[in-house]
Amino acid sequence: IAAEDLAEADRYGSIMGEKALKILQTGFSSAGPVDISSLTRVAKSDFGLYPQPGKPLFKGALAQIYVRSQPYGGSDKSSNG
């Protein structure tokens, strides 16, 4: 591997590592500003969800069905719940 290519791969690896650490350290993107602590959470991550807006204009909810006896909660689900 050419030194230039190795340096570029190392740079991309560092960028991905920084992004991954940020995701792991911030927790769930759905965690605020609206209090959702009383809701039952089954999903392992918020992958695919946008974070809550800083100043929401409306109150709304995202409700999903999770079938515990089915793999991934049902045939319409992804592996994160």
Side-chain angles (χ1 to χ4, degrees):
I1 299 175
E4 184 179 301
D5 292 340
L6 186 58
E8 187 68 5
D10 188 48
R11 186 177 76 83
Y12 278 111
S14 293
I15 292 170
M16 287 189 292
E18 289 171 13
K19 296 277 187 185
L21 279 174
K22 184 177 178 186
I23 291 168
L24 291 171
Q25 291 169 346
T26 57
F28 295 112
S29 63
S30 62
V34 178
D35 180 19
I36 60 169
S37 62
S38 63
L39 300 177
T40 300
R41 179 180 198 89
V42 178
K44 297 175 188 80
S45 72
D46 282 346
F47 183 73
L49 290 179
Y50 290 116
Q52 289 191 31
K55 295 181 180 179
L57 301 176
F58 305 97
K59 290 183 179 181
L62 173 66
Q64 297 181 341
I65 303 298
Y66 187 89
V67 182
R68 294 179 193 272
S69 62
Q70 295 293 316
Y72 303 121
S75 60
D76 62 331
K77 307 294 188 294
S78 65
S79 62
N80 71 335

